[in-house]
Amino acid sequence: MMQEGLDDGPDFLSEEDRGPRAVNVDLQTDATLQVDISDALSERDKVKFTVHTKSTLPNFKQNEFSVVRQHEEFIWLHDSFVENEEYAGFIIPPAPPRPDFDASREKLQKLGEGEGSMTKEEFTKMKQELEAEYLAIFKKTVAMHEVFLCRVAAHPVLRKDLNFHVFLEYNQDLSVRGKNKKEKLEDFFKNVVKSADGVIVAGVKDVDDFFEHEKTFLLEYHNRVKDASAKSDRMIRSHKSAADDINRIASTLYTLGTQDSTDMCKFFLKVSELFEKTRKIEARVAADEDLKLADLLKYYLRESQAAKDLLYRRGRALVDYENANKALDKARAKNKDVLQAETTQQVCCQKFEKISESAKQELIDFKTRRVAAFRKNLVELAELELKHAKGNLQLLQSCLAVLKGDT
Amino acid sequence: MAEDREPPPLADAVQTDFREVEEGEDLFVSTVSTLSPTSPEPASFPAEDISTNSNGPKQEILLDDDQEDLFAEATEEVSLDSPEREPILSDGPSPAITPVTPTVIITPRVDALFDRSLDEVKQISINVLYLFSIIQAFYFCLQGDGMNAYMAYKVTTKTSLSLFSRNEFSVKRRFSDFLGLHSKLASKYMHIGYIVPPAPEKSIVGMTKVKVGKEDLSSAEFVEKRRSALERYLMRTVNHPALVKDPDVIQFLENTELPRAVSTQALSGAGILRMVNKAADAVNKMTIKMNESDAWFEEKQQQFENLDIQLRKLHASVESLVCHRKELSVNTASFAKSAAMLGNSEDHTALSRALSQLAEVEEKIDQLHHEQAYADFYLFSELLGDYVRLITAVKGVFDQRMKTWSKWQDAQVMLQRKREAEAKLQYANKPDKLQQAKDEIKEWEAKVQQGERDFEQISKNIRREVERFEKQRVKDFKVVIIKYLESLVHTQQQLIKYWEAFLPEAKAIA
């Protein structure tokens, strides 16, 4: 059981922004409603987030308040948006992924089992490593939940949503349980139907050039982001593995240094020290790449999916509208149920137009956000890579100077 | 590759230097001339220990002492601050395929050949006498292709030693020739306590791939790996002050034709005999319980045991690093392509360009990782592998000493028995048998004396060899590790260059 506060952690994660920690999205912070996750607690199999709100809006009883929420409650909120017809014309902020500490926990367990087979120093070192990794994952999941809330708070319509206010304010448990097997199965079928329908809907050519272009663009973009996200993950994993190897090399060099009878011992100890330090830097490089590149790509994978969903809804509405038109024509021709057909047609028309109008703006905003986020992250990535490479270089050069001087 | 290697520049030889050089050469030559025309047997051990390969009369004790004197010099610390060494050390920023021990050839040559005081030696240019061999690989097809084909290695030697008839010469050798050379040297020298450098290992899989004509990267890598290993093996062998004078070595380097060493094949008669002997040795090792009177040996054995364990561990970690670094290179390349695709589909022009630039940077970085993996391997990993095998040879030499001791003890036991037998016969009144017993006693007394001498000799040799080995080890590791760190420096410098070029592109996204 690990209880961890949010603010204590190795400083290698301090490059994350403090304040609005929304690293992947560029948001205007608005004094009327500010939301953040001020604290988080990790218990056996769940994480408890402390959602902190500051608001001048009259809807809330107080100006500043906090509640504790769990992951399922975030999902409930997200799903309520998706199911709300009123929001069909918006890109629904993607739900945060489930906190997944399984891999990390497994590693810690394996380490515990293998305790007898390694020296005390090695064990302590590896334990520190894994604890740092656990903390990193923890911080990431907090950031992702926070981004979701910030996106909602920044959206002109969604921020007024009643469920959202309840989520922020109601200080009792929302009694939202995770979906049981039956519901999960229902979801699965719904998704199958939706994908099939999506294909049909996507096949309908749009009169509007803007949307037609967006459709083609998003489809390709989404697939390529998916690919880039997967490849960046693999790359970063290799990087971490290499850093782990350097860690072991440093340990063995240290042992050699303490054992050696020749004047190699000083040499070995110095090189061991060097590798310890460079290894830490390599680990940071991998961590930063993860934050600035991999997470960015993962986020835009989810957002581009949300944008695709919007287009699907619009497409669906368009099809419905066209079908309603055809039905109306038929009714008029047969002169039967004309009024009903007219009403249906009106409703479909309104729905379609409403979605189209907001969808256009949403997609334009999506692009703006995307460009800004990529810019921010790519610049920060390059700056961090430079910082680390320079640090590494300096360590190597000063060590070399010492070693060459000794020989 | 091998062409990068330049011989150390010949310093201008001053008149006085030259004379001293000549005397040194004479010293060398004089010892050579007392050798029998075929391979020498530097130790006068009982016949059964001598390998079937070497023939010729037994060596006089005189030679031993001469050689010993030479070795005594070899182990003197000659700390020459040599600016002439620089050309070897700074081989430029290509860490990939440079011979591992280029500098180490110089000092032993000087040490071995000059029976001089430290000051006098310092005056003499260390570049005057040298020997090193470079190996290039050729693919040589025998009549018919496929499994009959073999890889020929061109061994080029440059030397100023008078042992050789020319200053520069090349020969073609096969892998089995190298193994044959090692086999001969091991059988001649290991039982008297010399640490004979082990030959590279055979690899049926690797060679078969090459033979089958797989024109791919892994075959080329295998050949390069082998070539490099053979070169290091040869350099270590000629570095050894005694081994370099061995006629088999000289023959190996010089002779155009060399009898094919079939006994090195695993499934030959000799191969099977070797395996049997190895097994017997292992059993014997377990049963010999030696009374170690010399703390030095006990301490050293323990040290080498520890060193063995740690080096193997280190080697495994470095091999893992090489593997992961190669993986990182591949994954980075794959990511680069993916990022390029993403940049293509991005419809914001500035971002699209930046993503393409990112893809280019990552592509360059993957190349960098690839090169670094090479350095990891050829500099660090191979050095460790070599030393793991060398330490096995060192441990083998300690085992030989145990065997020698055991033999001596056995002889003593026999002598005791013969004496007892003689004592009994005193009262049995059988004059013939008594005389025989007395003769046997004499015989075994001589054997005991010989056993003791042999034991002392091997102990002395081992002390000397270990000292030389340790010095070499220190030098090797220092040189290689420094070179390795320099390769890491180069990588970081390149990384800085690439990211510095990218940063303005990222900032330009509007």
Side-chain angles (χ1 to χ4, degrees), chain A residues 119 122 213-214 217 220-221 224-225 227-229 231-232 234-239 241-243 245-246 248-253 255-256 259-264 267-268 271 274-275 282 289 293 297 367 370-371 374-375 378-383 385-386 388-390 392-393 396-397 399-400 403-404 406-407, chain B residues 300 303 306-307 309-311 313-314 317-318 320-322 324-325 327-329 331-335 337-342 344-348 351 354-355 358 362 365 369 380 470-471 473-475 477-479 481-486 488-490 492-493 495-497 499-500 502-503 506-510:
Chain A
T119 68
E122 275 177 13
H213 163 80
E214 285 297 306
F217 162 72
E220 194 185 59
Y221 188 79
R224 291 191 179 177
V225 165
D227 188 54
S229 173
K231 301 266 164 73
S232 76
R234 266 211 290 271
M235 176 175 80
I236 292 166
R237 258 204 303 275
S238 299
H239 217 136
S241 302
D245 287 327
I246 298 178
R248 273 190 285 272
I249 290 172
S251 293
T252 317
L253 281 173
T255 315
L256 273 169
Q259 277 179 358
D260 206 291
S261 54
T262 63
D263 65 333
M264 276 305 287
F267 202 87
F268 280 143
V271 178
L274 170 71
F275 280 159
E282 289 297 328
E289 282 176 353
L293 195 56
L297 293 169
K367 181 162 166 172
R370 183 174 81 240
V371 172
F374 268 78
R375 182 187 191 283
L378 287 179
V379 167
E380 284 176 1
L381 175 72
E383 284 173 348
E385 294 268 7
L386 267 172
H388 293 317
K390 285 184 179 154
N392 235 341
L393 181 66
L396 285 165
Q397 280 174 330
C399 181
L400 263 174
L403 292 177
K404 280 185 177 166
D406 275 350
T407 53
Chain B
K300 279 298 168 192
Q303 276 174 5
N306 293 343
L307 191 59
I309 294 171
Q310 295 306 321
L311 282 184
K313 219 166 140 187
L314 191 59
S317 297
V318 175
S320 176
L321 177 64
V322 171
H324 286 134
R325 192 98 72 178
E327 207 179 86
L328 177 60
S329 168
N331 288 344
T332 308
S334 154
F335 173 71
K337 285 202 193 80
S338 188
M341 296 280 279
L342 185 64
N344 277 345
S345 60
E346 173 61 63
D347 63 353
H348 185 273
L351 179 56
L355 285 171
L358 179 69
E362 294 289 352
I365 290 177
H369 286 310
F380 209 0
E470 289 286 75
K471 277 219 191 83
R473 176 167 77 89
V474 169
K475 237 181 271 176
F477 270 78
K478 282 188 179 173
V479 165
I481 288 182
I482 285 179
K483 246 196 162 152
Y484 178 63
L485 293 182
E486 282 171 351
L488 293 174
V489 163
H490 170 77
Q492 294 303 317
Q493 284 169 333
L495 274 175
I496 290 173
K497 218 169 72 181
W499 285 110
E500 269 176 354
F502 175 71
L503 190 55
K507 287 186 170 161
I509 302 171

Side-chain angles (χ1 to χ4, degrees), chain A residues 309-333:
Chain A
D309 290 344
L310 169 63
L311 280 181
Y312 162 71
R313 288 195 292 272
R314 179 177 172 279
R316 178 81 253 156
L318 177 60
V319 168
D320 290 343
Y321 180 35
E322 284 176 355
N323 288 346
N325 272 342
K326 286 189 202 137
L328 181 60
D329 287 342
K330 247 205 274 190
R332 280 194 180 137

Side-chain angles (χ1 to χ4, degrees), chain A residues 55-62 159-160 162 165 169:
Chain A
S55 174
T56 55
L57 290 176
N59 321 55
F60 300 109
K61 298 200 194 84
Q62 298 161 294
R159 78 209 309 242
K160 299 188 198 138
L162 190 60
H165 290 184
E169 203 178 17

Side-chain angles (χ1 to χ4, degrees), chain A residues 37-219:
Chain A
I37 297 184
S38 58
D39 197 4
L41 219 62
S42 167
E43 284 177 14
R44 179 74 74 84
D45 54 354
K46 49 184 177 243
V47 182
K48 293 201 167 124
F49 303 96
T50 303
V51 179
H52 168 249
T53 314
K54 255 200 189 135
S55 174
T56 55
L57 290 176
N59 321 55
F60 300 109
K61 298 200 194 84
Q62 298 161 294
N63 278 3
E64 193 169 345
F65 47 90
S66 292
V67 294
V68 176
R69 291 284 172 249
Q70 289 183 39
H71 175 74
E72 285 76 23
E73 292 164 312
F74 286 77
I75 298 301
W76 164 81
L77 184 61
H78 170 262
D79 288 348
S80 75
F81 290 154
V82 170
E83 285 156 15
N84 190 334
E85 285 276 334
E86 288 294 304
Y87 302 147
F90 302 144
I91 295 180
I92 310 291
R98 214 183 121 263
D100 183 13
F101 295 102
D102 290 344
S104 192
R105 216 173 273 133
E106 207 181 290
K107 277 198 217 172
L108 267 169
Q109 196 170 8
K110 255 200 250 177
L111 179 68
E113 284 167 8
E115 185 175 353
S117 68
M118 51 181 92
T119 68
K120 191 159 186 292
E121 294 91 27
E122 275 177 13
F123 179 74
T124 331
K125 241 208 283 181
M126 289 213 71
K127 185 152 174 280
Q128 277 174 352
E129 285 294 297
L130 287 177
E131 282 175 355
E133 202 180 291
Y134 192 98
L135 189 62
I137 299 176
F138 187 73
K139 284 195 176 183
K140 260 214 254 179
T141 191
V142 166
M144 292 198 269
H145 283 76
E146 194 181 73
V147 161
F148 170 69
L149 292 178
C150 292
R151 279 270 277 124
V152 176
H155 194 280
V157 178
L158 291 176
R159 78 209 309 242
K160 299 188 198 138
D161 183 81
L162 190 60
N163 282 337
F164 183 48
H165 290 184
V166 168
F167 178 93
L168 289 176
E169 203 178 17
Y170 187 61
N171 56 11
Q172 304 286 335
D173 189 0
L174 286 174
S175 298
V176 168
R177 53 172 176 72
K179 298 196 172 155
N180 63 21
K181 271 207 197 132
K182 178 158 170 275
E183 284 163 343
K184 282 195 184 151
L185 200 60
E186 279 174 6
D187 271 352
F188 174 71
F189 279 122
K190 258 197 236 164
N191 273 333
V192 170
V193 169
K194 184 177 156 215
S195 327
D197 195 31
V199 173
I200 297 170
V201 162
V204 175
K205 177 108 170 67
D206 207 318
V207 182
D208 190 328
D209 277 342
F210 174 80
F211 284 107
E212 189 58 31
H213 163 80
E214 285 297 306
K215 200 164 55 166
T216 342
F217 162 72
L218 271 176
L219 190 62

